[in-house]
């Protein structure tokens, strides 16, 4: 390990001790919301016939050495118990070693050979475990304790393997498959799991993630009748594709990011999203109807929707850049919609088959902003009553040529009508969707802007009076210019106050941020305090160039913003690195805040997490992090959360901090 990794690991372990040993599943530290509320035991299916079983996993993990059974031996003790000492030397009896059923593994590298009985391993340090043809394990249950790391190298599969990764632990799983024979084949995770580039979840396997899983390509191809299950309640990040085959099943209530393609290939697959799912492309072609979106599905590129149905449940939202449809139906619930930002391509479906959008709810929306290229065939595109829709342009193609509905009707063509649009049409420019940043669904507007009142005209803002011009504010007089305030004289500049002369500088207060980030410089393990005031910044959202307002710098190490040495916090304040700024008792506003403009946009707390904050220790820049269910070195809070005085314990001042960190991540305003 590098010194930077050692420093970070040391900080994280001290943080875990500080809050009591574990982090709540789904804890995002204020940087976006992961929904962790769920019914643990169900009498009824979420959807009739779905195969999912929700579990209360609180008792599945070992969170401290005190929870390890007293009957467990250390590895050395287990070896000693199977070793007989003679006058001529010692003899290790591998048959007797099979009786070591509960073994603690402290830091080290192990190659254990167990062929009989079931065995439970407790990883209490940073461990490498090698399993191969010569040193195999049968029937293994492995527990990773908080703060530990297991490098698990396996080229000979373990029957009935179960791994439980506690919060703050890391599993580096280096085998290509999660294997199951008679039972087992499970990974339950509240920490971090890193899997190889090609990872298969096969043969009745279960992956139940409440922390973070990092990987590249996920493939699930269980044999017939041996369904696999992937549950995500935390964060699943794939740099490649997620491909579901055979009877694979996927359920999400957390955050999923797939950099490549998400694909379902066969008819026995279930896919349910109740969280936030982002994928580069989406491919559904399995001839089934068991795809359900309850929250947000964002497809960066193309959605390829062939042969089946997809249901957008009440209050949900789907967005894609482009889309292709063939023998496909999108079912819409109430207060839901699909937004295609570019072109769509509609292929001729089977005769007598409904294709398009339909709803049994209310406030259902479809927006296809680009050109809809539609194959000439009877009812290639149908939109049912109850749907408000907008289509940028329609082009019907027959025999490679563009035709119109009128021409088909006049010619008595059997393809007429190609379009069966029973919903309510509106111009494309007047139907808009804004995805909800911290929740499910989207806000749909038809012509009016959110908050418009009867009689408002396009461009009006809340509070506008009849006759107001675009940009007028409440209280503006006729002739006022945008930015004028009550009492402004002609020629006043925006920000001028009464009595200002031309050329005066604005005297307004600094920009008010939308979010506050408070950080630790990874030295709390040395100084003994968790005051989260080594850097305090506010973030003003902007889609192009977000503003950072530096409020305080309570550390004495170099600490920079956005990877820019010019944005080192002490340098911005104009003081030596050893000087703390705005963290002394009663001195939080001694120095004026400093504003900087970022070269990128930030429009949500989830995006604010990507503002890189780094501290320089031992000559190396180390990033402050806030990974899901991992010890945090930065927190996102409201701008009404006052930062702490120097060397003040955050859990002493904000008494709900520990409960929020360890048990209740939905306590969104724990500082109040």
């Amino acid at each position: 390990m590098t010194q930077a990794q050692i420093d970070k690991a040391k900080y994280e372990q001290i943080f875990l001790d500080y809050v009591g040993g574990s982090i709540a599943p789904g804890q995002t530290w204020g940087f976006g919301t992961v929904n962790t509320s769920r019914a643990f035991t169900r009498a009824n299916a979420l959807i009739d016939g779905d195969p999912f079983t929700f579990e209360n996993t609180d008792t599945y993990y070992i969170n401290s050495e005190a929870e390890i059974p007293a009957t467990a031996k250390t590895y050395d003790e287990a070896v000693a118990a199977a070793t007989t000492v003679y006058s001529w030397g010692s003899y290790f009896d591998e048959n007797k070693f099979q009786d070591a059923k509960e073994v603690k593994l402290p830091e080290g590298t192990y190659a254990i050979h167990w062929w009989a009985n079931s065995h439970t391993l407790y990883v209490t340090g940073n461990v490498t475990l090698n399993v191969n043809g010569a040193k195999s394990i049968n029937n293994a249950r492995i527990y990773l304790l908080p703060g530990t790391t297991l490098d698990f190298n396996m080229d000979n599969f373990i029957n009935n393997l179960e791994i439980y990764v506690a919060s703050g632990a890391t599993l580096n799983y280096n085998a290509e498959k999660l294997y199951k024979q008679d039972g087992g084949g499970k990974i339950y995770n509240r920490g971090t799991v890193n899997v190889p580039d090609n990872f298969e979840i096969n043969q009745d396997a279960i992956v139940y993630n409440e922390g973070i899983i990092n990987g590249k390509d996920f493939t699930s191809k269980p044999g017939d009748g041996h369904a696999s299950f992937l549950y995500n309640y935390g964060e699943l990040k794939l740099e490649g594709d997620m491909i579901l085959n055979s009877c694979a099943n996927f359920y999400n209530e957390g955050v999923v990011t797939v950099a490549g393609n998400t694909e379902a290939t066969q008819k026995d697959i279930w896919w349910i999203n109740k969280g936030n799912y982002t994928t580069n492309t989406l491919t559904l072609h399995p001839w089934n109807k068991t795809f359900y979106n309850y929250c947000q599905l964002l497809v960066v590129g193309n959605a390829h929707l062939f042969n089946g149905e997809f249901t957008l449940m009440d209050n949900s939202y789907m967005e894609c850049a482009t889309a292709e449809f063939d023998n496909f139906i999108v079912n819409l619930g109430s207060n839901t919609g699909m937004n295609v930002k570019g072109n769509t391509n509609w292929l001729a479906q089977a005769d007598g088959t409904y294709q398009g959008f339909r709803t049994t709810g209310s406030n259902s929306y479809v927006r296809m902003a680009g050109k809809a290229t539609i194959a000439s065939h009877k009812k290639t595109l149908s939109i049912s009553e109850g749907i408000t829709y907008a289509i940028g342009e329609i082009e019907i193609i027959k025999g490679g040529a563009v035709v119109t509905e009128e021409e088909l009707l006049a010619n008595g063509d059997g393809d007429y009508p190609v379009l069966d649009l029973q919903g309510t049409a509106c111009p494309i420019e007047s139907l808009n969707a804004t995805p909800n940043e911290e929740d499910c669904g989207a806000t749909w507007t038809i012509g009016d802007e959110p908050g418009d009142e009867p009689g408002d005209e396009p461009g009006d803002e809340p509070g506008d009076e009849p006759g107001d011009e675009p940009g007028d504010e409440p209280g503006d007089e006729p002739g006022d210019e945008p930015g004028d305030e009550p009492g402004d004289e002609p020629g006043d500049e925006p920000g001028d106050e009464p009595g200002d002369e031309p050329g005066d500088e604005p005297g307004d207060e600094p920009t008010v941020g939308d979010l506050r980030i408070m950080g630790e410089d990874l030295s709390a393990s040395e100084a003994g305090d968790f005051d989260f005031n080594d850097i305090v910044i506010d973030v003003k959202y902007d889609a192009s160039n977000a503003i950072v307002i530096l409020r305080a710098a309570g550390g004495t190490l170099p600490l920079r913003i956005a990877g820019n040495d010019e944005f080192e916090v002490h340098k911005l304040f104009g003081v030596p690195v050893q000087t703390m700024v705005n963290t002394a008792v009663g001195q939080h506003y001694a120095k004026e805040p400093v504003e900087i403009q970022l070269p990128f946009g930030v429009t949500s707390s989830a995006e604010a997490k990507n503002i890189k904050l780094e501290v320089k220790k031992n000559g190396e820049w180390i990033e402050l992090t806030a990974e899901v269910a991992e010890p945090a070195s930065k927190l996102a809070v409201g701008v009404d959360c006052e930062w702490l005085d120097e060397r003040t314990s955050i859990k002493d001042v904000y008494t709900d901090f520990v409960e929020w960190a360890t048990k209740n991540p939905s306590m969104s305003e724990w500082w109040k």
Side-chain angles (χ1 to χ4, degrees), residues 575-588:
V575 299
V577 169
Q578 297 78 15
T579 302
M580 300 177 185
V581 180
N582 291 347
T583 58
V585 177
Q587 298 292 314
H588 283 201

Side-chain angles (χ1 to χ4, degrees), residues 140-200:
R141 178 174 291 183
I142 303 173
Y143 292 94
L144 277 68
L145 275 66
T148 65
T149 297
L150 173 61
D151 290 323
F152 193 42
N153 303 313
M154 183 171 66
D155 58 21
N156 184 38
F157 300 118
I158 298 176
N159 295 338
N160 311 319
L161 171 65
E162 298 179 19
I163 305 177
Y164 300 89
V165 184
S167 177
T170 299
L171 169 65
N172 297 317
Y173 186 92
N174 299 322
E176 291 186 349
K177 297 179 181 179
L178 180 57
Y179 184 77
K180 175 178 179 178
Q181 186 162 308
D182 302 319
K186 303 174 182 177
I187 294 178
Y188 284 79
N189 174 52
R190 285 188 173 181
T192 300
V193 174
N194 300 309
V195 297
D197 284 354
N198 298 290
F199 180 61
E200 296 182 9

Side-chain angles (χ1 to χ4, degrees), residues 424-588:
T424 301
C426 62
I428 191 66
E429 62 271 11
S430 68
L431 181 61
N432 293 286
T434 304
N436 298 334
E437 294 175 356
E438 303 292 345
D439 203 349
C440 298
T443 300
W444 290 84
T445 56
I446 306 173
D448 290 343
E449 300 289 331
D452 278 355
E453 302 193 10
D456 282 351
E457 299 184 12
D460 282 352
E461 299 186 11
D464 279 355
E465 302 285 335
D468 279 352
E469 299 288 331
D472 282 352
E473 300 184 12
D476 278 355
E477 302 286 333
D480 280 352
E481 298 188 12
D484 282 352
E485 300 184 12
D488 278 355
E489 301 289 332
D492 278 353
E493 298 288 331
D496 283 351
E497 300 186 8
D500 279 353
E501 299 290 331
D504 281 352
E505 295 292 326
D508 286 351
E509 290 295 314
T511 304
V512 176
D514 296 298
L515 180 80
R516 177 161 292 165
I517 299 176
M518 308 188 302
E520 273 288 340
D521 66 5
L522 308 182
S523 298
S525 57
E526 299 152 17
D529 70 321
F530 282 90
D531 50 27
F532 282 92
N533 69 5
D534 296 326
I535 179 172
V536 180
I537 61 173
D538 291 351
V539 182
K540 180 65 177 176
Y541 295 157
D542 185 89
S544 299
N545 298 102
I547 300 296
V548 165
I549 307 148
L550 177 62
R551 296 287 186 186
T556 56
L557 292 172
L559 208 159
R560 69 184 181 185
I561 302 168
N564 190 335
D565 288 344
E566 295 301 311
F567 293 166
E568 197 283 318
V569 295
H570 301 89
K571 185 174 185 178
L572 290 172
F573 274 131
V575 299
V577 169
Q578 297 78 15
T579 302
M580 300 177 185
V581 180
N582 291 347
T583 58
V585 177
Q587 298 292 314
H588 283 201

Side-chain angles (χ1 to χ4, degrees), residues 8 82 317 439 555 578 644:
K8 197 166 188 297
Y317 176 71
D439 203 349
Q578 297 78 15
L644 299 181

